[in-house]
């Protein structure tokens, strides 16, 4: 268990560190790139759902869920591609969603690590409350201050990566 937790902490720490650096150095080109990546992901999901609908012949059973999902994802990708400014306006909301997911992850780690010796669980609870706070701030005050939020989120991700590396170091020392 220690080896798996340590390897997981190293990988997540590296990814969070890289993402944090990207957010700290965010420019308008990064936001445009993020928009194009999101458009591509939505289009791929839509096309895969459409293929799955026709290949599995779900229309025979009257199951149109995959078709509905495909149309929605394709529609969203086209809207995001055409209306780039919409993406800029909803980006804080998307980041708040990400922070809520991170907060849930921190709460799960806080609960899961109660049986693992040598890990200080309080920092996960602390990170949970920080992520919830920043996420709520992004929802209720999205404004045009996206770069400030990206920098704050970048700092948060770098702190999280350092804590992951610290946990890994502490775990491997024992």
């Amino acid at each position: 268990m220690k080896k798996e937790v340590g390897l997981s902490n190293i990988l997540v720490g590296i990814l969070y560190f890289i993402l944090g650096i990207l957010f700290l150095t965010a420019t308008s080109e990064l936001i445009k790139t993020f928009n194009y990546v999101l458009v591509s992901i939505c289009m791929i999901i839509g096309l895969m759902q459409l293929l799955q609908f026709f290949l599995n012949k779900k229309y025979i059973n009257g199951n149109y869920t995959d078709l509905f999902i495909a149309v929605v994802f394709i529609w969203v990708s086209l809207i995001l591609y055409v209306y780039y400014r919409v993406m800029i306006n909803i980006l804080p909301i998307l980041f708040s969603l990400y922070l809520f997911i991170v907060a849930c992850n921190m709460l799960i780690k806080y609960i899961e690590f109660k049986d693992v010796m040598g890990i200080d669980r309080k920092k996960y609870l602390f990170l949970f409350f920080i992520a919830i706070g920043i996420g709520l701030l992004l929802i209720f005050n999205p404004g045009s201050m996206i770069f400030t939020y990206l920098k704050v989120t970048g700092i948060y991700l770098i702190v999280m990566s350092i804590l992951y590396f610290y946990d890994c170091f502490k775990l491997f020392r024992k």
Side-chain angles (χ1 to χ4, degrees):
M1 170 106 174
K2 282 185 180 182
K3 186 177 182 181
E4 294 155 354
V5 169
L7 183 60
S8 172
N9 280 358
I10 288 174
L11 292 176
V12 170
I14 290 171
L15 291 174
Y16 277 169
F17 187 78
I18 292 170
L19 193 59
I21 294 296
L22 276 174
F23 282 0
L24 278 175
T25 60
T27 61
S28 61
E29 281 74 29
L30 177 70
I31 294 174
K32 285 181 185 176
T33 303
F34 183 75
N35 184 45
Y36 292 136
V37 168
L38 190 62
V39 165
S40 301
I41 289 171
C42 287
M43 185 61 76
I44 290 170
I45 290 172
L47 292 175
M48 294 300 290
Q49 290 292 327
L50 192 64
L51 281 172
Q52 184 176 349
F53 174 75
F54 286 114
L55 290 177
N56 291 338
K57 299 182 180 177
K58 293 189 176 182
Y59 51 86
I60 295 174
N61 299 333
N63 185 356
Y64 294 99
T65 305
D66 286 340
L67 180 63
F68 176 72
I69 292 171
V71 168
V72 167
F73 271 100
I74 291 170
W75 181 75
V76 166
S77 69
L78 293 173
I79 292 293
L80 289 176
Y81 181 73
V82 173
Y83 299 105
Y84 165 70
R85 298 303 302 174
V86 172
M87 183 59 201
I88 298 295
N89 291 334
I90 66 169
L91 200 54
I93 307 300
L94 293 175
F95 283 131
S96 71
L97 176 64
Y98 168 75
L99 285 173
F100 284 128
I101 292 169
V102 167
C104 290
N105 185 29
M106 291 298 113
L107 189 61
I108 289 169
K109 284 192 180 290
Y110 175 77
I111 294 168
E112 271 184 353
F113 287 158
K114 72 177 182 178
D115 296 333
V116 178
M117 301 301 282
I119 292 183
D120 184 20
R121 299 179 323 137
K122 289 180 237 169
K123 64 182 163 234
Y124 293 113
L125 193 60
F126 176 70
L127 289 172
F128 165 76
F129 286 118
I130 288 177
I132 290 290
I134 294 173
L136 288 173
L137 182 65
L138 284 170
I139 285 176
F140 292 115
N141 188 14
S144 62
M145 303 174 65
I146 186 67
F147 293 110
T148 304
Y149 292 130
L150 285 175
K151 292 187 186 325
V152 168
T153 304
I155 292 169
Y156 175 77
L157 290 172
I158 290 173
V159 168
M160 280 183 44
S161 71
I162 290 169
L163 290 175
Y164 274 105
F165 291 138
Y166 176 74
D167 275 348
C168 184
F169 177 73
K170 200 171 175 185
L171 202 62
F172 284 139
R173 270 183 82 195
K174 289 187 179 199

PDB file of all heavy atoms in Angstrom, residues 93-114:
ATOM      1  N   ILE A  93     -16.095  29.639 -13.915  1.00  0.00           N
ATOM      2  CA  ILE A  93     -17.046  28.642 -13.438  1.00  0.00           C
ATOM      3  C   ILE A  93     -16.465  27.241 -13.630  1.00  0.00           C
ATOM      4  O   ILE A  93     -16.582  26.381 -12.752  1.00  0.00           O
ATOM      5  CB  ILE A  93     -18.394  28.779 -14.180  1.00  0.00           C
ATOM      6  CG1 ILE A  93     -18.929  30.211 -14.105  1.00  0.00           C
ATOM      7  CG2 ILE A  93     -19.403  27.776 -13.669  1.00  0.00           C
ATOM      8  CD1 ILE A  93     -19.176  30.742 -12.730  1.00  0.00           C
ATOM      9  N   LEU A  94     -15.805  27.010 -14.761  1.00  0.00           N
ATOM     10  CA  LEU A  94     -15.174  25.707 -14.996  1.00  0.00           C
ATOM     11  C   LEU A  94     -14.055  25.445 -13.993  1.00  0.00           C
ATOM     12  O   LEU A  94     -13.913  24.338 -13.480  1.00  0.00           O
ATOM     13  CB  LEU A  94     -14.638  25.619 -16.429  1.00  0.00           C
ATOM     14  CG  LEU A  94     -15.680  25.601 -17.527  1.00  0.00           C
ATOM     15  CD1 LEU A  94     -15.011  25.625 -18.892  1.00  0.00           C
ATOM     16  CD2 LEU A  94     -16.582  24.388 -17.393  1.00  0.00           C
ATOM     17  N   PHE A  95     -13.269  26.483 -13.690  1.00  0.00           N
ATOM     18  CA  PHE A  95     -12.218  26.315 -12.696  1.00  0.00           C
ATOM     19  C   PHE A  95     -12.804  26.083 -11.310  1.00  0.00           C
ATOM     20  O   PHE A  95     -12.238  25.337 -10.511  1.00  0.00           O
ATOM     21  CB  PHE A  95     -11.268  27.510 -12.693  1.00  0.00           C
ATOM     22  CG  PHE A  95     -10.304  27.507 -13.828  1.00  0.00           C
ATOM     23  CD1 PHE A  95     -10.133  28.633 -14.597  1.00  0.00           C
ATOM     24  CD2 PHE A  95      -9.569  26.387 -14.150  1.00  0.00           C
ATOM     25  CE1 PHE A  95      -9.253  28.645 -15.661  1.00  0.00           C
ATOM     26  CE2 PHE A  95      -8.683  26.374 -15.208  1.00  0.00           C
ATOM     27  CZ  PHE A  95      -8.521  27.508 -15.968  1.00  0.00           C
ATOM     28  N   SER A  96     -13.934  26.698 -11.018  1.00  0.00           N
ATOM     29  CA  SER A  96     -14.562  26.445  -9.717  1.00  0.00           C
ATOM     30  C   SER A  96     -15.048  25.004  -9.637  1.00  0.00           C
ATOM     31  O   SER A  96     -14.934  24.371  -8.592  1.00  0.00           O
ATOM     32  CB  SER A  96     -15.703  27.416  -9.460  1.00  0.00           C
ATOM     33  OG  SER A  96     -16.807  27.134 -10.289  1.00  0.00           O
ATOM     34  N   LEU A  97     -15.559  24.485 -10.743  1.00  0.00           N
ATOM     35  CA  LEU A  97     -15.950  23.072 -10.775  1.00  0.00           C
ATOM     36  C   LEU A  97     -14.742  22.186 -10.523  1.00  0.00           C
ATOM     37  O   LEU A  97     -14.806  21.233  -9.746  1.00  0.00           O
ATOM     38  CB  LEU A  97     -16.605  22.736 -12.113  1.00  0.00           C
ATOM     39  CG  LEU A  97     -16.990  21.282 -12.336  1.00  0.00           C
ATOM     40  CD1 LEU A  97     -18.058  20.860 -11.336  1.00  0.00           C
ATOM     41  CD2 LEU A  97     -17.467  21.067 -13.749  1.00  0.00           C
ATOM     42  N   TYR A  98     -13.628  22.524 -11.167  1.00  0.00           N
ATOM     43  CA  TYR A  98     -12.393  21.772 -10.953  1.00  0.00           C
ATOM     44  C   TYR A  98     -11.979  21.831  -9.483  1.00  0.00           C
ATOM     45  O   TYR A  98     -11.583  20.824  -8.891  1.00  0.00           O
ATOM     46  CB  TYR A  98     -11.283  22.317 -11.852  1.00  0.00           C
ATOM     47  CG  TYR A  98      -9.922  21.800 -11.488  1.00  0.00           C
ATOM     48  CD1 TYR A  98      -9.551  20.507 -11.798  1.00  0.00           C
ATOM     49  CD2 TYR A  98      -9.018  22.602 -10.812  1.00  0.00           C
ATOM     50  CE1 TYR A  98      -8.315  20.024 -11.446  1.00  0.00           C
ATOM     51  CE2 TYR A  98      -7.782  22.132 -10.455  1.00  0.00           C
ATOM     52  CZ  TYR A  98      -7.424  20.839 -10.782  1.00  0.00           C
ATOM     53  OH  TYR A  98      -6.202  20.369 -10.410  1.00  0.00           O
ATOM     54  N   LEU A  99     -12.074  23.008  -8.880  1.00  0.00           N
ATOM     55  CA  LEU A  99     -11.688  23.140  -7.474  1.00  0.00           C
ATOM     56  C   LEU A  99     -12.618  22.359  -6.552  1.00  0.00           C
ATOM     57  O   LEU A  99     -12.178  21.833  -5.528  1.00  0.00           O
ATOM     58  CB  LEU A  99     -11.636  24.612  -7.075  1.00  0.00           C
ATOM     59  CG  LEU A  99     -10.422  25.363  -7.592  1.00  0.00           C
ATOM     60  CD1 LEU A  99     -10.544  26.849  -7.298  1.00  0.00           C
ATOM     61  CD2 LEU A  99      -9.149  24.813  -6.995  1.00  0.00           C
ATOM     62  N   PHE A 100     -13.894  22.265  -6.897  1.00  0.00           N
ATOM     63  CA  PHE A 100     -14.792  21.445  -6.091  1.00  0.00           C
ATOM     64  C   PHE A 100     -14.427  19.968  -6.206  1.00  0.00           C
ATOM     65  O   PHE A 100     -14.518  19.217  -5.233  1.00  0.00           O
ATOM     66  CB  PHE A 100     -16.250  21.677  -6.479  1.00  0.00           C
ATOM     67  CG  PHE A 100     -16.798  22.971  -5.957  1.00  0.00           C
ATOM     68  CD1 PHE A 100     -17.427  23.852  -6.808  1.00  0.00           C
ATOM     69  CD2 PHE A 100     -16.678  23.313  -4.624  1.00  0.00           C
ATOM     70  CE1 PHE A 100     -17.926  25.056  -6.346  1.00  0.00           C
ATOM     71  CE2 PHE A 100     -17.171  24.511  -4.144  1.00  0.00           C
ATOM     72  CZ  PHE A 100     -17.794  25.388  -5.003  1.00  0.00           C
ATOM     73  N   ILE A 101     -13.995  19.544  -7.377  1.00  0.00           N
ATOM     74  CA  ILE A 101     -13.533  18.161  -7.549  1.00  0.00           C
ATOM     75  C   ILE A 101     -12.267  17.925  -6.733  1.00  0.00           C
ATOM     76  O   ILE A 101     -12.121  16.893  -6.067  1.00  0.00           O
ATOM     77  CB  ILE A 101     -13.321  17.846  -9.049  1.00  0.00           C
ATOM     78  CG1 ILE A 101     -14.667  17.834  -9.773  1.00  0.00           C
ATOM     79  CG2 ILE A 101     -12.594  16.522  -9.234  1.00  0.00           C
ATOM     80  CD1 ILE A 101     -14.566  17.786 -11.275  1.00  0.00           C
ATOM     81  N   VAL A 102     -11.348  18.887  -6.769  1.00  0.00           N
ATOM     82  CA  VAL A 102     -10.129  18.791  -5.966  1.00  0.00           C
ATOM     83  C   VAL A 102     -10.478  18.750  -4.484  1.00  0.00           C
ATOM     84  O   VAL A 102      -9.896  17.981  -3.713  1.00  0.00           O
ATOM     85  CB  VAL A 102      -9.176  19.962  -6.275  1.00  0.00           C
ATOM     86  CG1 VAL A 102      -8.060  20.071  -5.255  1.00  0.00           C
ATOM     87  CG2 VAL A 102      -8.593  19.814  -7.670  1.00  0.00           C
ATOM     88  N   ALA A 103     -11.449  19.560  -4.068  1.00  0.00           N
ATOM     89  CA  ALA A 103     -11.862  19.575  -2.661  1.00  0.00           C
ATOM     90  C   ALA A 103     -12.414  18.215  -2.248  1.00  0.00           C
ATOM     91  O   ALA A 103     -12.089  17.715  -1.165  1.00  0.00           O
ATOM     92  CB  ALA A 103     -12.902  20.668  -2.425  1.00  0.00           C
ATOM     93  N   CYS A 104     -13.217  17.622  -3.104  1.00  0.00           N
ATOM     94  CA  CYS A 104     -13.738  16.278  -2.806  1.00  0.00           C
ATOM     95  C   CYS A 104     -12.602  15.272  -2.707  1.00  0.00           C
ATOM     96  O   CYS A 104     -12.608  14.398  -1.837  1.00  0.00           O
ATOM     97  CB  CYS A 104     -14.737  15.845  -3.875  1.00  0.00           C
ATOM     98  SG  CYS A 104     -16.270  16.766  -3.820  1.00  0.00           S
ATOM     99  N   ASN A 105     -11.618  15.402  -3.592  1.00  0.00           N
ATOM    100  CA  ASN A 105     -10.459  14.515  -3.551  1.00  0.00           C
ATOM    101  C   ASN A 105      -9.696  14.677  -2.235  1.00  0.00           C
ATOM    102  O   ASN A 105      -9.255  13.691  -1.642  1.00  0.00           O
ATOM    103  CB  ASN A 105      -9.555  14.798  -4.755  1.00  0.00           C
ATOM    104  CG  ASN A 105      -8.403  13.843  -4.844  1.00  0.00           C
ATOM    105  OD1 ASN A 105      -8.489  12.701  -4.421  1.00  0.00           O
ATOM    106  ND2 ASN A 105      -7.311  14.318  -5.407  1.00  0.00           N
ATOM    107  N   MET A 106      -9.531  15.922  -1.774  1.00  0.00           N
ATOM    108  CA  MET A 106      -8.827  16.161  -0.515  1.00  0.00           C
ATOM    109  C   MET A 106      -9.606  15.590   0.672  1.00  0.00           C
ATOM    110  O   MET A 106      -9.021  15.021   1.589  1.00  0.00           O
ATOM    111  CB  MET A 106      -8.599  17.665  -0.306  1.00  0.00           C
ATOM    112  CG  MET A 106      -7.616  18.288  -1.250  1.00  0.00           C
ATOM    113  SD  MET A 106      -5.974  17.593  -1.105  1.00  0.00           S
ATOM    114  CE  MET A 106      -5.820  16.789  -2.686  1.00  0.00           C
ATOM    115  N   LEU A 107     -10.914  15.704   0.636  1.00  0.00           N
ATOM    116  CA  LEU A 107     -11.728  15.136   1.711  1.00  0.00           C
ATOM    117  C   LEU A 107     -11.645  13.608   1.707  1.00  0.00           C
ATOM    118  O   LEU A 107     -11.536  12.988   2.767  1.00  0.00           O
ATOM    119  CB  LEU A 107     -13.182  15.603   1.569  1.00  0.00           C
ATOM    120  CG  LEU A 107     -14.106  15.272   2.727  1.00  0.00           C
ATOM    121  CD1 LEU A 107     -13.603  15.926   4.015  1.00  0.00           C
ATOM    122  CD2 LEU A 107     -15.517  15.718   2.426  1.00  0.00           C
ATOM    123  N   ILE A 108     -11.648  13.021   0.524  1.00  0.00           N
ATOM    124  CA  ILE A 108     -11.510  11.562   0.422  1.00  0.00           C
ATOM    125  C   ILE A 108     -10.149  11.121   0.947  1.00  0.00           C
ATOM    126  O   ILE A 108     -10.045  10.137   1.684  1.00  0.00           O
ATOM    127  CB  ILE A 108     -11.732  11.103  -1.033  1.00  0.00           C
ATOM    128  CG1 ILE A 108     -13.209  11.246  -1.388  1.00  0.00           C
ATOM    129  CG2 ILE A 108     -11.261   9.670  -1.241  1.00  0.00           C
ATOM    130  CD1 ILE A 108     -13.518  11.074  -2.860  1.00  0.00           C
ATOM    131  N   LYS A 109      -9.092  11.844   0.586  1.00  0.00           N
ATOM    132  CA  LYS A 109      -7.754  11.504   1.087  1.00  0.00           C
ATOM    133  C   LYS A 109      -7.700  11.658   2.604  1.00  0.00           C
ATOM    134  O   LYS A 109      -7.080  10.847   3.282  1.00  0.00           O
ATOM    135  CB  LYS A 109      -6.699  12.368   0.419  1.00  0.00           C
ATOM    136  CG  LYS A 109      -6.401  11.947  -0.994  1.00  0.00           C
ATOM    137  CD  LYS A 109      -5.166  12.634  -1.489  1.00  0.00           C
ATOM    138  CE  LYS A 109      -4.859  12.223  -2.886  1.00  0.00           C
ATOM    139  NZ  LYS A 109      -4.419  10.870  -3.029  1.00  0.00           N
ATOM    140  N   TYR A 110      -8.347  12.692   3.130  1.00  0.00           N
ATOM    141  CA  TYR A 110      -8.380  12.874   4.576  1.00  0.00           C
ATOM    142  C   TYR A 110      -9.032  11.671   5.257  1.00  0.00           C
ATOM    143  O   TYR A 110      -8.546  11.187   6.275  1.00  0.00           O
ATOM    144  CB  TYR A 110      -9.140  14.162   4.915  1.00  0.00           C
ATOM    145  CG  TYR A 110      -9.331  14.386   6.391  1.00  0.00           C
ATOM    146  CD1 TYR A 110      -8.285  14.838   7.176  1.00  0.00           C
ATOM    147  CD2 TYR A 110     -10.553  14.140   7.001  1.00  0.00           C
ATOM    148  CE1 TYR A 110      -8.440  15.037   8.529  1.00  0.00           C
ATOM    149  CE2 TYR A 110     -10.724  14.342   8.353  1.00  0.00           C
ATOM    150  CZ  TYR A 110      -9.661  14.787   9.120  1.00  0.00           C
ATOM    151  OH  TYR A 110      -9.823  14.975  10.463  1.00  0.00           O
ATOM    152  N   ILE A 111     -10.089  11.165   4.679  1.00  0.00           N
ATOM    153  CA  ILE A 111     -10.787  10.016   5.251  1.00  0.00           C
ATOM    154  C   ILE A 111     -10.006   8.723   5.019  1.00  0.00           C
ATOM    155  O   ILE A 111      -9.871   7.902   5.922  1.00  0.00           O
ATOM    156  CB  ILE A 111     -12.214   9.921   4.670  1.00  0.00           C
ATOM    157  CG1 ILE A 111     -13.040  11.121   5.134  1.00  0.00           C
ATOM    158  CG2 ILE A 111     -12.877   8.613   5.068  1.00  0.00           C
ATOM    159  CD1 ILE A 111     -14.357  11.289   4.418  1.00  0.00           C
ATOM    160  N   GLU A 112      -9.453   8.542   3.813  1.00  0.00           N
ATOM    161  CA  GLU A 112      -8.749   7.307   3.470  1.00  0.00           C
ATOM    162  C   GLU A 112      -7.468   7.117   4.268  1.00  0.00           C
ATOM    163  O   GLU A 112      -7.121   5.991   4.626  1.00  0.00           O
ATOM    164  CB  GLU A 112      -8.370   7.309   1.981  1.00  0.00           C
ATOM    165  CG  GLU A 112      -9.404   6.733   1.079  1.00  0.00           C
ATOM    166  CD  GLU A 112      -8.919   6.689  -0.356  1.00  0.00           C
ATOM    167  OE1 GLU A 112      -7.831   7.217  -0.671  1.00  0.00           O
ATOM    168  OE2 GLU A 112      -9.647   6.119  -1.164  1.00  0.00           O
ATOM    169  N   PHE A 113      -6.735   8.178   4.524  1.00  0.00           N
ATOM    170  CA  PHE A 113      -5.419   8.058   5.137  1.00  0.00           C
ATOM    171  C   PHE A 113      -5.457   7.944   6.654  1.00  0.00           C
ATOM    172  O   PHE A 113      -4.424   8.031   7.295  1.00  0.00           O
ATOM    173  CB  PHE A 113      -4.524   9.225   4.734  1.00  0.00           C
ATOM    174  CG  PHE A 113      -4.052   9.156   3.308  1.00  0.00           C
ATOM    175  CD1 PHE A 113      -3.636  10.293   2.660  1.00  0.00           C
ATOM    176  CD2 PHE A 113      -4.018   7.961   2.626  1.00  0.00           C
ATOM    177  CE1 PHE A 113      -3.195  10.239   1.355  1.00  0.00           C
ATOM    178  CE2 PHE A 113      -3.584   7.895   1.320  1.00  0.00           C
ATOM    179  CZ  PHE A 113      -3.168   9.040   0.680  1.00  0.00           C
ATOM    180  N   LYS A 114      -6.629   7.705   7.217  1.00  0.00           N
ATOM    181  CA  LYS A 114      -6.668   7.562   8.668  1.00  0.00           C
ATOM    182  C   LYS A 114      -5.990   6.268   9.120  1.00  0.00           C
ATOM    183  O   LYS A 114      -5.501   6.179  10.224  1.00  0.00           O
ATOM    184  CB  LYS A 114      -8.099   7.627   9.187  1.00  0.00           C
ATOM    185  CG  LYS A 114      -8.945   6.421   8.877  1.00  0.00           C
ATOM    186  CD  LYS A 114     -10.308   6.559   9.492  1.00  0.00           C
ATOM    187  CE  LYS A 114     -11.102   5.300   9.193  1.00  0.00           C
ATOM    188  NZ  LYS A 114     -12.392   5.329   9.780  1.00  0.00           N
TER     189      LYS A 114
END
